[in-house]
Amino acid sequence: MNHRTLVRALLASAALAAAVLLAGCNSDDISLASNAKANQPVPPKLVAAITEKDMDLQSPILIRLFKQEAELEVWKQDRSGRFALLKTYPICRWSGDLGPKIREGDRQAPEGFYTISPGQMNPQSAYYLSFNTGYPNAFDKALGRTGSQLMVHGDCSSRGCYAMTDEQIAEIYSLGRESFFGGQKAFQLQAYPFRMTPVNMAKHRNNPNMPFWKMIKEGYDHFEVTKQEPKVDFCEKKYVFDAAKPPGATRDPVFDASAKCPAYVIPDQIAEAVRQKQQEEATEVAKLISKGTPVARMNTGIDGGMNKIFASKLPEGSTGLSEGGDSQSLQSLSLARAPGTIPSTVNPPKPNLAQPEEPVVAVSTTSATSSARVASATQSGEQSEGLFSSIARKVGIGATADANAAATSVPPSAPAAAAKPKATEAKTAEAKAAEIKPAQTKSQSVVRVAPRPTETKLAAAKPALKPTVTDAPATAAPATRDTQLSGSQPIVQPNSFDNRFGAMK
């Protein structure tokens, strides 16, 4: 029975695609499947999963993206009318930091709620296949945010986009195409910094983006409690979810992102369910904070993230700002099959050389006082050391022993200047050289070189079609690398992703 259902679904998909192509007009439907890449059928294994979950091949979809977890979820409407999770795809590459996109060129992947229409699907993409996120939306524009051509695409290369492998985007594209063929006018894209759980909200509580994140979490909660696509409006430069006309009103409220909010209500059933969920989570967040849940550090210069399954396939690969980047975790995944082909030109995020989190138990004012005391104690210690060194020299103790002791006491992370005691000002030039040299040797370990692969594309053209994700090879070809100091500007090759998209974002 399942085999016959699968065959009927595939035949129906092919027949509908052929009918659209024979229609002879320049419609969005025709542009969706204008070439072989864009017209690939949904893989049989995925069709079988759709059937098992009581869904139709052409029922509506909804997509959610999470930066920190580096995951893309495809939700699909089942026959009960509710959305259920169909499949989770690891994201090969995203760029920027946790937080919304603000301006053109900031390399930020957008966050928020966006609407994807058939016209935003790009079968002719230079990055295999893609669809435009629709950034900036009305909310972004009301705040004066700029940027363009922010995509979800293949090629595992990002400068403000969410990049998948070619095999992954082929599947995602086919699911979107079928939903449009089934009558869905547009599907919703929800992009978040992380899963909006109490643990993550507690960890990021001091982040300046938290007011924005709490605002879009409202829409996250609406979807979680209803499993329906939330209706999104904007007014007074903020998001409004599932707004309806108030009792007695004859017309639906009209929203303008920059204007005052009209009179509206949120249906009682939704409002009560969301309120209960948020109260329970607020209690949990308070407990986590009281127990000393560490505060996530701010960006230390790392450009975006990568799912650990992809990082494990790259020499010295790193997940950057995404989760699971420790070497032990990556080694455990080294033999796992990668969900698609990783290009040899992939540019993984630079490794995080600092600790990812710092414990904060007390309130911010206490933390500031504690930091000041630590700094004061350190300065006092340096002055005391200088005094004893000076006395030692007056009674005839050699300077070389002092220099070696000072160099040994300096931790590897301390700067060279801090390793030199103040008493060296009274020493001879020879004594200064003897003391400074070992200190500089210690400080050289601070300068880390962040290896990165070259971004030059292979001369051979890509094949027209890609295998499905389940047929992807287990390993990727090693990438050619050069070195680049952390924080420096990368060299962009003529045929690289940054060059092709450099005028945008």
Side-chain angles (χ1 to χ4, degrees), residues 5-57:
T5 302
L6 173 61
V7 172
R8 285 201 302 271
L10 292 173
L11 289 176
S13 175
L16 184 56
V20 171
L21 291 173
L22 292 173
C25 60
N26 294 322
S27 67
D28 287 334
D29 287 341
I30 289 181
S31 68
L32 284 173
S34 59
N35 58 35
K37 290 188 298 183
N39 204 29
Q40 294 178 72
V42 178
K45 187 175 180 180
L46 197 52
V47 174
I50 290 172
T51 303
E52 289 175 6
K53 294 175 181 288
D54 197 29
M55 302 167 177
D56 293 318
L57 179 63

Side-chain angles (χ1 to χ4, degrees), residues 306-308 310-320 324-327 330 348-351 451 481:
M306 168 182 279
N307 190 279
K308 58 187 178 183
F310 297 112
S312 69
K313 307 302 178 186
L314 303 174
E316 301 180 18
S318 168
T319 55
D326 58 282
S327 58
L330 295 182
K350 296 183 291 293
R481 292 174 175 266

